[in-house]
Amino acid sequence: MRRHQPVETDFTTDVINMRNDHVQFVYLTDLDWQVAAGLVQAMNQQNFHPQVLFSAGPAYADQYIAAAGARAPPTACGSARERRCTSARTQRSSRR
């Protein structure tokens, strides 16, 4: 875990480190949707797919789904007050 800069957009090194460390659970809750989407894009580019992406925040933003891309993995959500979290994959399948 490290602090990122507000204008940072390249998470390639972080993703490579997570993949090399065999990380299987990624916690996105404390990130803005833009940062979370950038991280997911970097994961896809590096062919890194942890077993769980968890969010109680950015994944609720409709913009996250569009920005994360069609290959965004399902994102588990944890919020007692709202359960509308989805992923690009489930949203895409519901349009068929």
Side-chain angles (χ1 to χ4, degrees):
M1 182 172 87
R2 71 172 180 86
R3 292 189 185 271
H4 69 281
Q5 298 302 313
V7 295
E8 188 172 356
T9 59
D10 185 359
F11 298 100
T12 304
T13 301
D14 300 292
V15 171
I16 291 169
N17 289 337
M18 286 190 288
R19 185 182 60 211
N20 291 343
D21 289 341
H22 306 285
V23 170
Q24 291 302 314
F25 187 102
V26 177
Y27 186 77
L28 302 174
T29 296
D30 294 330
L31 303 175
D32 293 334
W33 68 263
Q34 297 94 328
V35 175
L39 182 60
V40 169
Q41 289 171 352
M43 289 177 179
N44 287 331
Q45 290 169 353
Q46 295 300 317
N47 199 29
F48 171 63
H49 308 288
Q51 290 182 3
V52 177
L53 286 180
F54 180 84
S55 175
Y60 286 105
D62 293 331
Q63 302 94 328
Y64 164 79
I65 296 166
R71 294 180 57 209
T75 305
C77 294
S79 174
R81 59 184 162 76
E82 186 175 6
R83 295 281 182 202
R84 73 174 192 89
C85 184
T86 186
S87 72
R89 189 173 298 152
T90 56
Q91 190 176 66
R92 193 173 61 242
S93 66
S94 67
R95 290 181 186 156
R96 293 182 185 162

